[in-house]
Amino acid sequence: AKAEVMDAFERAYCLAALRATGGNATQAAALAGVNRKYMQRAIKRLRLREEQGELTDDKVALRLAVAHPMRA
């Protein structure tokens, strides 16, 4: 159950960072405070490219990404 919650959070967080940066993984990683490789692996593992269009409010996405930076 914990792993599912963590995956759901990571998915939403990474999507928010990607949306806030127009889909740029390098910029999303910097915004989230993780390295580029981590973000690229998360995108692939969580299949985020297909879901990137889910978030529609970029201001909310940016606020989430800035307020809660992830650390590798």
Side-chain angles (χ1 to χ4, degrees), residues 13 16-21 24-34 39 61-71:
Y13 192 86
L18 285 166
R19 290 285 296 152
T21 60
N24 185 302
T26 301
Q27 291 176 1
L31 185 61
V34 298
M39 181 61 72
L62 180 59
R63 197 173 320 125
L64 172 66
V66 170
H68 304 285
M70 292 182 354
R71 299 290 174 210

Side-chain angles (χ1 to χ4, degrees), residues 15-16 18-22 55-64:
L15 276 171
L18 285 166
R19 290 285 296 152
T21 60
L55 297 176
T56 57
D57 189 342
D58 288 336
K59 291 178 184 172
V60 171
L62 180 59
R63 197 173 320 125
L64 172 66

Side-chain angles (χ1 to χ4, degrees), residues 4-24:
E4 291 173 7
V5 171
M6 294 299 291
D7 279 351
F9 175 80
E10 185 177 20
R11 176 184 304 276
Y13 192 86
C14 289
L15 276 171
L18 285 166
R19 290 285 296 152
T21 60
N24 185 302

Side-chain angles (χ1 to χ4, degrees), residues 17-56:
L18 285 166
R19 290 285 296 152
T21 60
N24 185 302
T26 301
Q27 291 176 1
L31 185 61
V34 298
N35 66 47
R36 180 184 52 80
K37 275 276 209 220
Y38 177 89
M39 181 61 72
Q40 288 175 330
R41 287 181 187 138
I43 290 168
K44 186 174 182 176
R45 180 173 50 84
L46 299 169
R47 299 181 183 153
L48 297 180
R49 286 292 176 209
E50 303 98 55
E51 298 177 28
Q52 193 174 334
E54 278 185 9
L55 297 176
T56 57

